[in-house]
Amino acid sequence: MTRRTDAATVVGALGEAAAAHGRVPAVVDGDRSLDHATLWRQAGRVARRLRARGVRNGDVVALAADRSAGLLVGLVGVLRSGATVLPLDVTYPRARLMMMLQDSGARIVVGHEHTVGPFAGEGREAVVLADALAGEEVPADAELPEPHPGDGCYLLYTSGSTGGPKAVLMPHAGLANLVRWQAGASGVGPGSRTLQYGAISFDVALQEIFSTLATGGTLVCVDEDTRRNPVRTWELMIDSGVERIFLPYVGLQALVMVADDVPVERSALREIIPGGEQLQCTRALRELLRRLPECRISNHYGPVETHAVTCHPLEADPGRWLSLPPIGKPIPGNRVHVLDEEGRPAAVGEIGELYVAGDQVSYGYWRRPALTAERFLPSPDGDGGRVYRTGDLARLRPDGSLDFLGRADDQVKIRGFRVELAEVEAAVSDHPEVAACGATVAGDEGIDRVLVAFVVPRSGFDAEEVRAELRGRLPGHLVPEVFHAVDALPQLPSGKLDRRGLRLLAEREPTAGPR
């Protein structure tokens, strides 16, 4: 049975879950398991250690830990202390992590002994999870503060067109609103198992983690090596009875590519929630869902500045799916606006830029008031609130849902025609010889610009055959002039497609011709 929560913060929701479902497993990490009561108690010890070190509400505390039960204890512990958590992906280059620590002003790093050691010093100190759980210096019943809905919940760094990474500060109220909605939208509840797939520095991981724990569900940990191996990921999900997974489209694509090599019919998977980039309903994805008749896909959209703000549940019949499905309608507490270049509402069917208002809008960019003022604007609703200017293009459908049309700054033209790269990728990926595709352009504006497709083949790959098939389905300007067969598409640490990496690959041999 699904469990709903009305808590104003994720900390409150987790406390309720610990009281109601204390003996239900909260985390399964290999042979180790923590129930909700134990997770809550251990997180409390971490929180009290942090308070004893002088941490107060609103302070930024970094979390650097391997994928494990300890990571989750540390995450909940930092939030129970009243601090704003800065999740650090320990697979990132050390120089980038040091930049985040310096920019955030975090003076404490929580994690395992081997993960926090490199970051101690220079005014920062380490809190080792094992020591915090075993220590006796802090009374076990020392009172902990209840975070306020307006307090900062997390600080996440995101790259942008302006150059270096910038941090987004999300209040507790925003994440709590998302968790509250997800608790009712998903058919999961106490004991239901969700794979802890997302990288901790990716906002979807926080949706995945807290929407599971807040409903008395169980997170199944996956180590980094298994996560990077889609066959082993399938095997873990099958053996562990995983019912739900959140992941970027590229991650879903990787699972689809190997689905013929594993007995997916034995899987308990009931819900797939892709987000972070355009979902493409390829032939292979449709075939997979036909093998999983009880499983449903729910397409989410939302930049890190707002987290998830819209949802589109796909129909049960894969044969009825669009190749590029809508991103849906706003979840409760949010509003969206599609505005033209003059800032006026775009008509149904017209392309405009997407603006987001409501509970999911973050406080803006950490210590960057000018950039915040540029992207977070007064709401056109006239309610005194703010909207976030996403930089994404969208189109309103007659039923009120939205089509996602890519980034405004990623728009490309070939011989004067506007090219939607996602449309090209979806069409190429639908060919039975193609497992995955990433499209980009190479060359200068004008007659020298060419459309390039990087293809991960299933077995053999004949570029001329694929091109001939595409010419029967697409206008000429959407048919790639150059194909490159590759073993894998470049990815960002979050698991999204690395479009800049694709462009760099294409520029190396922009006129190499088909192969």
Side-chain angles (χ1 to χ4, degrees):
M1 182 179 69
T2 301
R3 178 187 182 277
R4 296 176 180 270
T5 175
D6 295 319
T9 69
V10 291
V11 171
L14 268 55
E16 292 176 358
H21 308 290
R23 302 182 72 174
V24 175
V27 184
V28 174
D29 180 9
D31 295 334
R32 184 186 181 195
S33 176
L34 298 179
D35 61 29
H36 279 269
T38 302
L39 173 64
W40 184 251
R41 184 171 60 253
Q42 289 190 359
R45 294 199 68 86
V46 173
R48 292 179 182 95
R49 176 66 66 95
L50 292 174
R51 298 294 291 190
R53 297 285 183 92
V55 170
R56 295 296 177 262
N57 287 38
D59 290 349
V60 177
V61 171
L63 174 67
D66 293 331
R67 291 177 162 276
S68 63
L71 172 71
L72 300 170
V73 170
L75 175 64
V76 179
V78 172
L79 294 183
R80 286 200 68 188
S81 76
T84 300
V85 66
L86 167 61
L88 299 178
D89 187 333
V90 295
T91 66
Y92 276 23
R94 183 175 182 274
R96 187 177 181 87
L97 296 177
M98 290 299 295
M99 181 284 301
M100 295 176 182
L101 287 169
Q102 291 163 1
D103 183 71
S104 69
R107 62 178 183 83
I108 292 180
V109 185
V110 176
H112 310 296
E113 186 170 7
H114 67 281
T115 57
V116 298
F119 306 117
E122 300 183 20
R124 283 182 299 276
E125 59 179 313
V127 169
V128 177
L129 286 167
D131 294 342
L133 297 179
E136 301 295 337
E137 67 184 59
V138 182
D141 59 351
E143 186 176 350
L144 291 173
E146 176 71 23
H148 185 274
D151 289 346
C153 181
Y154 63 77
L155 198 64
L156 288 184
Y157 279 81
T158 178
S159 297
S161 58
T162 56
K166 54 191 181 295
V168 173
L169 178 62
M170 178 66 73
H172 273 272
L175 184 56
N177 181 72
L178 178 60
V179 167
R180 198 159 42 241
W181 167 78
Q182 187 76 67
S186 284
V188 298
S192 295
R193 296 193 164 198
T194 297
L195 191 67
Q196 205 287 281
Y197 182 90
I200 192 62
S201 60
F202 186 31
D203 59 350
V204 173
L206 300 175
Q207 178 184 5
E208 160 198 276
I209 289 168
F210 289 116
S211 67
T212 301
L213 296 180
T215 55
T218 304
L219 288 164
V220 176
C221 294
V222 53
D223 63 71
E224 194 62 33
D225 289 342
T226 298
R227 179 178 176 268
R228 294 178 182 274
N229 184 317
V231 170
R232 290 174 58 189
T233 299
W234 268 118
E235 292 171 346
L236 175 64
M237 289 197 294
I238 292 169
D239 293 343
S240 302
V242 167
E243 299 165 63
R244 182 174 66 173
I245 183 172
F246 295 76
L247 74 177
Y249 172 68
V250 170
L252 174 58
Q253 200 173 35
L255 293 178
V256 170
M257 285 169 58
V258 302
D260 289 342
D261 301 328
V262 291
V264 297
E265 289 83 0
R266 290 174 44 209
S267 169
L269 199 59
R270 296 291 180 268
E271 188 173 20
I272 299 172
I273 302 177
E277 52 195 331
Q278 174 69 58
L279 173 63
Q280 299 173 19
C281 294
T282 62
R283 181 180 311 187
L285 179 59
R286 290 184 175 95
E287 291 173 357
L288 171 61
L289 268 292
R290 289 190 180 101
R291 296 171 64 188
L292 296 171
E294 301 302 317
C295 186
R296 299 291 180 266
I297 295 180
S298 184
N299 190 27
H300 288 191
Y301 162 83
V304 68
E305 288 85 354
T306 64
H307 214 134
V309 290
T310 69
C311 171
H312 174 72
L314 271 64
E315 296 181 72
D317 179 7
R320 297 175 62 86
W321 296 350
L322 297 174
S323 294
L324 298 175
I327 56 175
K329 299 178 181 180
I331 69 172
N334 295 285
R335 302 177 303 283
V336 294
H337 303 274
V338 181
L339 305 180
D340 64 19
E341 293 181 355
E342 303 300 323
R344 297 171 301 202
V348 172
E350 291 186 356
I351 297 172
E353 187 173 348
L354 187 59
Y355 293 70
V356 177
D359 294 340
Q360 299 301 124
V361 177
S362 69
Y363 282 146
Y365 300 113
W366 180 252
R367 296 177 174 174
R368 297 200 181 189
L371 185 59
T372 297
E374 179 184 326
R375 305 299 298 186
F376 293 79
L377 308 172
S379 172
D381 294 327
D383 58 1
R386 298 180 309 150
V387 293
Y388 171 65
R389 182 179 184 180
T390 68
D392 292 332
L393 297 180
R395 178 173 51 216
L396 190 64
R397 299 166 64 91
D399 66 356
S401 64
L402 295 166
D403 286 324
F404 174 75
L405 302 173
R407 295 285 302 165
D409 51 13
D410 278 345
Q411 297 307 297
V412 297
K413 286 191 174 182
I414 300 288
R415 298 184 296 279
F417 292 98
R418 180 177 161 188
V419 174
E420 297 293 349
L421 295 176
E423 183 179 1
V424 176
E425 292 164 351
V428 175
S429 297
D430 211 34
H431 193 281
E433 288 186 6
V434 176
C437 173
T440 187
V441 293
D444 298 328
E445 291 278 2
I447 61 173
D448 293 330
R449 174 160 282 196
V450 295
L451 183 59
V452 182
F454 289 88
V455 169
V456 179
R458 285 188 175 276
S459 52
F461 176 70
D462 186 325
E464 283 303 329
E465 178 185 321
V466 174
R467 185 181 288 107
E469 196 270 342
L470 291 174
R471 284 178 179 142
R473 301 170 53 196
L474 297 175
H477 64 276
L478 293 180
V479 178
E481 298 171 74
V482 179
F483 285 87
H484 292 298
V486 294
D487 293 332
L489 299 176
Q491 295 184 27
L492 298 169
S494 64
K496 296 181 184 179
L497 179 65
D498 183 357
R499 293 204 173 274
R500 183 173 180 274
L502 276 184
R503 287 195 295 271
L504 292 175
L505 286 174
E507 291 292 348
R508 292 175 186 172
E509 289 186 287
T511 58
R515 72 181 191 194

